[in-house]
Amino acid sequence: LSFFFQHPPNITIPTLPWLLIFVSELLLYLAWLLAQSHGWRPVYRTVFPERLPADDKLPAIDIFICTADPNKEPSVEVMNTVISAMALDYPPEKLHVYVSDDAGSDATLRCTKEAWNFARYWVPFCRKYGLVTACPDVYFSSSEDGFKGSSEFKAERKKMEVI
């Protein structure tokens, strides 16, 4: 900005590039100012579970899990995602989970069948004890248990680790 207030005899550089730079700086400052506006008055949302419709009035949900190459995306990680999706707190008859494998790998097909067999035991276990972490890999790698004193829970958890 000081460039424009210099005396004309001292100016040896063309004015147009400096003017373009100045205008671009003003536009970037305006964009930054607008981007910061969300912090001036943040929006807080609250959840009202009592306003949710009954289970029979909830819409059906389709979950698509896409994978391409079992070498780049380990099948175990994909199946943890599938099991986590199956364990969502939603009516089971309205929840549809699809696995799309672009490579058409036999390993993914076998892992999907094994994940389905494991989910037959895992999903009721999660619902029975109200587990927040539905991903088996994350749950078994953590050391936290919600029901530390319950011998029934410990026995069923040991059984889940074996399956």
Side-chain angles (χ1 to χ4, degrees), residues 6 8 11 13 18 28 40 47-49 60 62 67 74 79 84 88-89 91-92 99 136 141 143 151 156 158-159 162:
Q6 291 179 356
I11 298 176
I13 302 173
W18 285 94
L28 287 174
W40 297 336
V47 179
F48 300 101
D62 295 327
T67 182
M79 294 311 122
S84 297
L88 288 173
D89 186 19
V99 178
S141 65
S143 60
S151 60
E156 284 197 41
K158 287 286 185 192
K159 191 168 77 170
V162 173

Side-chain angles (χ1 to χ4, degrees), residues 121-129 131 153 156-157 160:
Y121 302 104
W122 177 251
V123 172
F125 175 75
C126 289
R127 291 197 176 134
K128 179 178 180 181
Y129 293 106
L131 298 181
F153 172 76
E156 284 197 41
R157 184 174 193 244
M160 284 294 138

Side-chain angles (χ1 to χ4, degrees), residues 12-95:
T12 57
I13 302 173
T15 308
L16 184 62
W18 285 94
L19 184 63
L20 290 175
I21 290 172
F22 179 70
V23 169
S24 66
E25 288 282 336
L26 283 177
L27 289 175
L28 287 174
Y29 173 71
L30 180 64
W32 175 83
L33 193 65
L34 291 174
Q36 297 301 315
S37 64
H38 66 83
W40 297 336
R41 188 172 180 161
V43 176
Y44 297 104
R45 292 183 169 84
T46 57
V47 179
F48 300 101
E50 65 274 1
R51 293 185 186 175
L52 288 174
D55 284 354
D56 58 341
K57 293 186 180 181
L58 289 172
I61 293 180
D62 295 327
I63 299 174
F64 293 94
I65 300 169
C66 300
T67 182
D69 186 8
N71 295 327
K72 293 180 182 174
E73 300 171 324
S75 297
V76 173
E77 298 298 324
V78 174
M79 294 311 122
N80 276 319
T81 305
V82 170
I83 293 171
S84 297
M86 292 170 72
L88 288 173
D89 186 19
Y90 207 78
E93 63 277 357
K94 295 191 176 205
L95 181 68

